[in-house]
Structures are given as structure tokens and as C-alpha cells.
Amino acid sequence: MLAVLGQSSWELKRNCSLSPYQLLGLFASMACVSLGVGLAWAWQGNWPILPFAVLECLALGLAFMFYSRHAQDRERVVVTAEELQVDDHSGSTVVCRSFSRRGLRVAIDEVTGLIVIQSQGQESRIGRFLTRPQRQQFLKDLRRALADPGGPFFNQSGLGI
């Protein structure tokens, strides 16, 4: 969590073990090995192995492309003196919503477990990258930040969000 000049900010994101660039390096090395084995067998006269090696590389490339597209997904929540802003980054889509603090309602949906933010007919559901206990703690931190709009709020929970 960041606290900057009277605003509180959280960035909730996936816990990805590989960055897209590391994934690209892994794919390149796996493709080289697979195609190398396919070429070696093709050189020995077993040509049907090479098309299967190419198909394997294409399938692996598609899977890695889908993973890397969503590896940078995140939700950003900013509390200012006037409003609550929620930015949801999912793939190449970014949805930004601003909620007036007047009539703002923040609660956990018992069915999905996500945090529901409602104000003046708008609604947003956040917390998909957090575990249930982390969502409970985030909700407490968010409510505390909303209760004190003038001062910066520092996350004491140690959640790493």
C-alpha cells in the first residue's frame, strides 16, 4: 500500500512466479529442444516426428501467450478526500470507476467472497487476487482509510498488497 499526501492507495495483483520475459526465454529454450529432437529424428529418416514437434511448439506457444496476457492483471484502489477510485486491469482491458464518498457502501459479498463497492448506482467487485483472510484485512484497511480522509493511512497488516 502507498500513502501519498492525504490519499491511500493499494495495488492488488496476481502472484506470478514468471514475468512475461522469463516466460519467453523458457518457451524459446523448450522450443529449441523439441525442434532439435524432431530434426534429429527427421535426419535419421523418421519424418513424422517433425510435424508433431512443430504442433507441440504451437500449442505451448498459445498456452504461454494466454498466460502472459493475464500475468499483469491487477486492481488499483485509491482513496482521496473526495472519492474512491478503482482501476481494473484485465488483459488489454482497463476499466476505471470513480465512486463518490457520499453514500458509499463497502462490504463483502457472502456468495462470491469478493469486496463489493457501491455508490449512487455504480458497483464494482474487487479482491479476486486475494485470499479470503486477505480480503477481510483489506476491507478493514479500506474502511479505516475511508473513515480518515485527511490523513495518510499506512498498512500495518503485512499482507504485501
Side-chain angles (χ1 to χ4, degrees), residues 25-48:
L26 178 65
F27 171 71
S29 64
M30 291 175 73
C32 285
V33 169
S34 181
L35 291 175
V37 169
L39 286 171
W41 280 105
W43 190 48
Q44 295 294 324
N46 294 324
W47 288 101

Side-chain angles (χ1 to χ4, degrees), residues 50-123:
L50 188 59
F52 284 105
V54 170
L55 283 174
E56 176 188 9
C57 289
L58 289 174
L60 193 60
L62 286 173
F64 282 179
M65 187 176 71
F66 180 77
Y67 171 83
S68 66
R69 177 183 171 135
H70 291 282
Q72 301 297 320
D73 287 359
R74 65 189 177 281
E75 299 165 333
R76 186 162 188 262
V77 179
V78 178
V79 177
T80 64
E82 299 85 28
E83 63 187 3
L84 175 92
Q85 299 170 352
V86 177
D87 299 337
D88 185 5
H89 300 256
S90 180
S92 60
T93 305
V94 179
V95 177
C96 301
R97 290 192 176 99
S98 295
F99 297 91
S100 172
R101 291 178 63 125
R102 192 171 336 138
L104 185 68
R105 182 177 175 269
V106 181
I108 290 187
D109 182 358
E110 296 301 323
V111 176
T112 63
L114 295 176
I115 297 170
V116 180
I117 301 171
Q118 296 174 329
S119 178
Q120 299 176 352
Q122 289 189 33
E123 180 178 289

